[in-house]
Amino acid sequence: MYNNLSIRQKQIVWAWAFLAIPVLFYVVIRFYPTANAILISFQNWNLLGSRTWAGAENYIKLFNDPVFWQVFRNTFVYLLLGTPISLVISFIIAYHLDQLRFMHGFLRMLYFLPFMTSAVAMAWVWRWFYQPVPIGLFNNFLASVGIPQVEFLRSTTNALPSVLAPAVWAGLGFQIIIFMAGLRAIPRSYYEAARIDGVSTWTVLWEITLPLLKPTIVFIVVFSSIGFLRIFDHVFNMTTNDPGGPLNSTEPLVLMIYDTAFNGFDMGYAAAQTVVLFVVLLLVSLLQLRILRDR
Amino acid sequence: MSIKKLKGWALATAAGAATMFASAAHAVEIEYWQYFFDARVTAMEKLIANFEASNPDITVKMTTFPYADYRTKVAAAIPAGEGPDVVQLFYGWLNDYVEAQLIQPLPADVFAPAQIEADFFPMVQAMRAGDNYWALPTAVRSLSLFYNERLFEEAGITEPPKTLDEMVAAAKKLTKRDGAGNLTQVGITAGMNAQDHHWFREVLVRQFGGDPYLDDYKTVNYNSDAGRKALDFYTGLVKKDEVTAFGFMDEPQAAFKAGRAGMHIDGSFRIGSLKKTRGLKWGVTELPAGPDGTRSNYSSYWVNAITTKAEGEKYDAAVKFMQYVTSDEAMQIWLDVVGELPAKPSVGMTDANANDPVFGPFIRGLAYAHTTKFVNESAQRQVLMDMVQRVDIQGQSVADSLTEAAAAEQKLLDDYYASN
């Protein structure tokens, strides 16, 4: 039978033969659990007993849960603060680093180092930085110059930005590297032409550099948005005494999912939250691709 | 262990091993599961060795898992006919395990409820459902007041406080501030995230004349005069007496370990890590008595139960094994190796144990301890953490915050009992 196939058909058979392994892998590891999670979101299950049908009960509960809406808001605060701030900072650093020759490699490494550091270790160190006197680095400094202490983590207003700061810092290295690669990819001749025409530095930046960096910016925005929407390890490790606290002011969606699933053992409710997160991630990514795509 | 005993034990082991080989064909193997914690594994290995020596026809295979995966693994294995015959679980999970038919009741002829109630400390009664006990602990935990002996000496306090008033007075002497008024040493640690939520629920509320729960822990009852007085006292440690700060040095136990806290309320499981802390001289005393002299304590424990997988001769072997791990001998081994308290007065209240300078206060506390029937301990703890934070950070009144907390916890209980 195989012999009767045309060359083109044979090529397709072989292509599928090689694709079978990754496809199978994805079906078992990704698609099946995803479908299962969606199914569980319509059921009640405590991990031990049998699953019982719940209809839309979990979603109704979610809609009426004030904690969920607070968590939902927090998640978007992480996104709306984190993504622009890290984008601007990493661009500024990459832009200047690109023009610098002195100790270029060493500086680049310094910026990249936090990205390689374990988020858990980093979160714990920052958590200690933020403590009040006598162990907190920042507050000890403030106290030594006679300024009243700042409650970084034990405050409903300061806690979220305090948790976000190291997360932004940790992601910078990666974004800087991507930006620098993007900058290098812009042909020199454009800049030379601009210089011959006597164009100002600002115009070069606005008219040449940024427009040509658009694919890079799209990539970084989508990538870091997804990262901030599913922020977990920094928050969890900096607030382990009161995960997502104080008073849920730092709790992101993923932490709520984790808590519902593995402390409350309410798998159906956790799955419903997961489905909401999935939809949010999907919508945000599609929206960004659409907005930032070339018109 | 005396030489004679050691010899006897060695002989028994050798004999046991010999018969085991001889009767290998008839050997029953049962599986035991617990979560991984070094000292508990060592202790259980010892118990298994002793048990196998006296029951040569039974072998016990122990499997351990990281704490985080434990429940998932058990839940997946038993219905599939795999996994343990005897399993360790947290007392608060019992309901879920019974509902899911993962465990079976202990046979009433061997584990007679009346006998158990006579033999064990009273809080173990939470493991009874109907005419049977479903699970039994080898060891239990309770709370005590740890104090830093060096700081006590420095502040001129000669003996540990016996009442709440004495405790506050001592705490005032132990508190230190820098020039700007920032706390650098606290009189007593405070934080609902550690053991204080148990102290509040089962101890303070009762000491101020209340009963924290009604209907077998299905109804929250601390939103009362007693509850308000208790919360007033607790938040007053920060606001009125100014002897501590919530979240001082990140974690209460960290502050105590670092020698920056005069007193600290914690469980018997903290003893091991405090013993390893160099340069820290500490003592333990019973939790201070309330204004009218009431004493109370909170106890929690891990229990062992027979799973529904065990049938026939494995079931018989599992029953024998359960008998051994709840015996006086096993409890003494557990105390010596793990440092967890015996679950029976016959072992705990021996002169040597009850007067032990370290274990004594914990063991004496068991006599009047209560065990909260949690439906979701971490969520119920969160309610009390939020309650204190609303007072501390947002300036809400004690009465309002308490009312809000009681409603939130009642909702958790209602939701759980409605679906189970």
Side-chain angles (χ1 to χ4, degrees), chain B residues 310-346:
Chain B
E311 283 169 356
E313 56 179 1
K314 288 202 181 209
Y315 176 76
D316 298 336
V319 171
K320 276 189 189 162
F321 187 59
M322 275 295 296
Q323 273 179 298
Y324 180 68
V325 296
T326 53
S327 67
D328 290 16
E329 181 188 320
M331 287 181 189
Q332 187 65 47
I333 292 176
W334 205 267
L335 175 67
D336 296 339
V337 179
V338 189
E340 285 190 316
L341 317 168
K344 285 181 187 170
S346 57

Side-chain angles (χ1 to χ4, degrees), chain B residues 87-104:
Chain B
V87 67
Q88 192 182 61
L89 53 128
F90 190 61
Y91 81 93
W93 300 346
L94 187 81
N95 255 347
D96 290 348
Y97 276 67
V98 173
E99 293 281 336
Q101 299 181 341
L102 293 176
I103 57 175
Q104 47 184 320

Side-chain angles (χ1 to χ4, degrees), chain A residues 46-49 61 124 127-128 131-135 143 149 154-156 240-243 245-248 259 262-265, chain B residues 71-72 75 96-97 100 102 178 182-184 193 246-251 260 376 378 381-382 385-386 389-390 392-394 420:
Chain A
N46 70 354
L47 259 187
L48 294 180
K61 186 175 164 191
W124 276 79
R127 174 175 162 181
W128 289 325
Q131 291 302 313
V133 175
I135 54 170
Q149 296 195 56
R154 283 191 58 77
S155 149
T156 44
T240 43
N241 286 332
D242 178 2
L247 297 169
N248 304 318
D259 188 55
F262 300 109
N263 287 320
F265 299 111
Chain B
R71 186 172 162 124
T72 330
D96 290 348
Y97 276 67
L102 293 176
D178 65 9
N182 297 317
L183 274 173
T184 54
N193 55 308
F246 297 116
F248 177 74
M249 287 187 72
D250 202 19
E251 289 176 324
R260 294 271 189 168
N376 177 351
S378 92
R381 183 186 74 147
Q382 188 69 51
M385 281 197 285
D386 290 351
Q389 273 167 344
R390 282 193 300 267
D392 183 38
I393 302 178
Q394 298 188 321
N420 281 278

Side-chain angles (χ1 to χ4, degrees), chain A residues 224-293:
Chain A
S224 82
S225 298
I226 294 174
F228 284 116
L229 280 176
R230 46 181 200 147
I231 187 169
F232 172 80
D233 32 14
H234 281 96
V235 188
F236 185 69
N237 284 291
M238 288 180 73
T239 61
T240 43
N241 286 332
D242 178 2
L247 297 169
N248 304 318
S249 60
T250 59
E251 186 160 351
L253 198 45
V254 184
L255 184 52
M256 188 183 181
I257 294 170
Y258 172 82
D259 188 55
T260 311
F262 300 109
N263 287 320
F265 299 111
D266 191 348
M267 304 314 276
Y269 193 36
Q273 295 162 16
T274 315
V275 171
V276 170
L277 177 67
F278 172 73
V279 172
V280 168
L281 280 172
L282 194 70
L283 289 180
V284 168
S285 306
L286 288 177
L287 194 73
Q288 285 171 344
L289 283 172
R290 209 181 162 77
I291 291 175
L292 293 167
R293 195 185 293 154

